Amino acid sequence: MEDLVILNGNDNVAIATKKLANGDTVTVNDKQLKLVSSISAGSKVALQAIAAGKDVIKLGQVIGRSTADIAAGQLVDESNLENAADAKPLPVDDDLSQYVSQQTFMGYRRKNGKVGIRNDLFIVATVGCITPLMDVMVQQFKAAHPDNGSFDDIVLLKHPYGCSQLGEDFEQTRQILCDAALHPNAGGVLLFGLGCENNQMSGMKETIEKMAGIDPERMKFLVAQDVKDEFATAQQMLEELNTAAANDHREPVPLSELKVGLQSVQPDALAPLTANRLLAHLANVINANGGSTVLTGLPELAAAQDDLVSRSADSSVAEKVNHVFDHIRDYYDEFDQELVKKPSDKELAEGITTAKEVALNAIQLAGSAPISDALLYGHKVTTPGLNLLEAPNNDLIDASAAAAADCQMVVVSTGVATPYASFVPSVKVATNSELAAKKQRWFDYDGGQALSESFDKAAKDFVDYIIKIASGEETSNEKAGLHGLAIFKIGVTE
């Protein structure tokens, strides 16, 4: 394992992979570098002398400006580095030709042309007060079909909303539920309502019809107050859906049909060296082959808004990027909150120094493709390539937003153990091997392999693993039966 890793050829700092002592001599870029500071794992080391007032570059972009002269081999942290909000974005190498591949995955091609990586049965509640009844429906269905019948899994989309909501807040809830009902991972959908909620089933039907049309063989609607026995009626509808999905099968599908959500959850010091790098490689492979990736968590990205604008494919996309940031910034301003996420005390202790560095670490997940589109919350991906999606940097809300946008899976780089999952497969990539070993039931992949073996091999193995997931191999959350849905609530309750 290398002592220091340079993340981009233009960087003037490297990242320590382990604790290093003052006076140690390390090899980096086939050159000897003598350390003049003690360095903790994940912290930044100057590769050359950096004069006071000069840019410090990591991941190929300016993360801040030096406040004092920094010697080669010296620790770079808050004592000698400050944020540089006026720093101009540097060019990004967006040539992805080396990532072009002929790989395929085994997916379910739907009647509307979309592709799912699962053939799940979705039961979607229109309102929170009826969600306990959904468990009984599943128990009754599984009594007749212990193996889930024609479906890979049964996914309950529970939430506490759908009633006593007003205006845009209400519309947002309905939109996400309709997005979920139309997800290509669903081989059958039962929408289940109570009858007196303000999220009326008639409105759900109207929205779905406008979005994509209703396939009556694959989508059923049940309002509990309209029938004598909601459980008996539900079982009849579920059996009809089960019959309709009986002949569904996987077939080879090109990577151009893959849509993947990219997420960072509480990264630790090693994340930029391990899990983030693996996700970046995956993003480059997907985007190079005509697929789609989705980056969320705007507060974490906000300090690098200019960098994202500069990566836009054209001026119209740049306008969309700014609009998405302006939209969520207005929401934060309404509650007197600052959008830009600054380093926490934990992050400062682990070597993350500036808000720009926080943002660039998160952007790292997306690889080097230009941004092809920027979407407001609740909108679906329609443009191949890297998409920016409005969401508030909440683990489950962001994962649900990516899933609602038609991502067939969400891949998460995380430095903490967390069991949450969305209603699509959620691949948890641990930033270090110790964490992956500690919580094997919650993690899917040990990102520490990016340091324990050659990165090229680790990156190839990771892409192969993601293709296995897309082709049906279960994630940890699927094995445990963990699924979730969180909706971004933006208004008052009457």
Side-chain angles (χ1 to χ4, degrees), residues 131-152:
T131 55
L133 303 181
M134 297 160 68
D135 294 313
V136 178
M137 293 176 179
V138 173
Q139 291 168 10
Q140 293 179 341
F141 182 79
K142 288 183 75 70
H145 305 282
D147 60 351
N148 297 327
S150 303
F151 301 105
D152 294 334

Side-chain angles (χ1 to χ4, degrees), residues 276-414:
N276 287 13
R277 289 173 80 196
L278 292 176
L279 266 67
H281 180 85
L282 172 68
N284 284 339
V285 170
I286 293 172
N287 292 327
N289 289 282
S292 305
T293 55
V294 175
L295 187 64
T296 57
L298 263 63
E300 199 170 35
L301 306 175
Q305 178 177 342
D306 289 346
D307 296 72
L308 292 168
V309 170
S310 73
R311 283 181 58 172
S312 300
D314 54 42
S315 59
S316 64
V317 175
E319 289 180 7
K320 289 184 178 182
V321 171
N322 279 324
H323 176 63
V324 165
F325 275 106
D326 289 345
H327 189 264
I328 198 168
R329 187 175 285 108
D330 288 344
Y331 170 76
Y332 273 69
D333 287 347
E334 184 177 352
F335 296 96
D336 296 321
Q337 299 297 314
E338 186 177 356
L339 179 64
V340 173
K341 184 181 183 297
K342 297 178 181 177
S344 64
D345 291 342
K346 177 178 178 289
E347 287 172 320
L348 287 171
E350 292 183 337
I352 308 301
T353 310
T354 67
K356 186 70 170 293
E357 188 175 5
V358 170
L360 290 172
N361 281 352
I363 293 172
Q364 180 188 11
L365 309 178
S368 54
I371 297 176
S372 59
D373 204 358
L375 311 171
L376 292 173
Y377 180 77
H379 288 220
K380 287 187 176 290
V381 172
T382 59
T383 307
L386 174 58
N387 289 250
L388 182 67
L389 174 64
E390 181 188 25
N393 201 43
N394 172 278
D395 302 351
L396 188 50
I397 291 176
D398 285 14
S400 298
D406 271 1
C407 290
Q408 301 112 321
M409 72 170 81
V410 177
V411 186
V412 186
S413 165
T414 178

Side-chain angles (χ1 to χ4, degrees), residues 423-445:
F423 54 91
V424 299
S426 301
V427 181
K428 302 288 179 52
V429 183
T431 58
N432 64 83
S433 298
E434 181 181 359
L435 183 61
K438 180 181 178 181
K439 284 291 187 182
Q440 294 183 29
R441 287 183 299 174
W442 290 2
F443 282 103
D444 298 280
Y445 203 84

